């Protein structure tokens, strides 16, 4: 996978330091498991933040994943 910034879009979904990190990471992992069958995506942790990275592709599959993520980012707003 090429991590050139022009080739992907990051969704900052939550902090590595959230009280409910394990629950949020489990949810994100489940989403990744389903979405990875559609197109290239991965979970990325950088400087204490957890991102869901969607890679661009020529077939436009990334648009389906991005649309799904934009519609469902609210599920990561829960607190302890």
């Amino acid at each position: 996978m090429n991590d050139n910034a022009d080739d992907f879009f990051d969704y900052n979904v939550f902090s590595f330091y959230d009280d409910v990190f394990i629950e949020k990471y489990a949810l994100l992992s489940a989403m990744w498991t389903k979405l990875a069958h559609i197109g290239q995506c991965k979970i990325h942790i950088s400087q204490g933040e957890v991102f869901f990275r969607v890679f661009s592709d020529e077939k436009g599959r990334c648009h389906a994943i991005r649309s799904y993520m934009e519609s469902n980012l609210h599920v990561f707003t829960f607190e302890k």
Side-chain angles (χ1 to χ4, degrees):
M1 256 186 242
N2 182 1
D3 283 1
N4 181 346
D6 294 334
D7 296 336
F8 63 84
F9 186 84
D10 278 342
Y11 292 94
N12 185 340
V13 284
F14 53 88
S15 172
F16 186 76
Y17 305 104
D18 279 356
D19 289 339
V20 287
F21 170 79
I22 298 297
E23 292 85 350
K24 289 182 179 183
Y25 194 83
L27 178 59
L28 185 61
S29 295
M31 292 171 89
W32 172 81
T33 300
K34 298 297 181 186
L35 295 174
H37 294 286
I38 298 171
Q40 282 188 323
C41 52
K42 73 177 186 177
I43 297 170
H44 178 76
I45 299 174
S46 177
Q47 298 180 350
E49 297 297 316
V50 180
F51 299 89
F52 190 79
R53 181 168 285 179
V54 179
F55 290 88
S56 300
D57 66 359
E58 300 82 35
K59 297 180 182 179
R61 293 177 290 210
C62 62
H63 297 295
I65 297 172
R66 288 183 63 179
S67 177
Y68 177 85
M69 287 303 294
E70 289 166 12
S71 300
N72 292 288
L73 280 175
H74 67 279
V75 300
F76 296 102
T77 60
F78 66 91
E79 298 294 325
K80 195 173 197 181

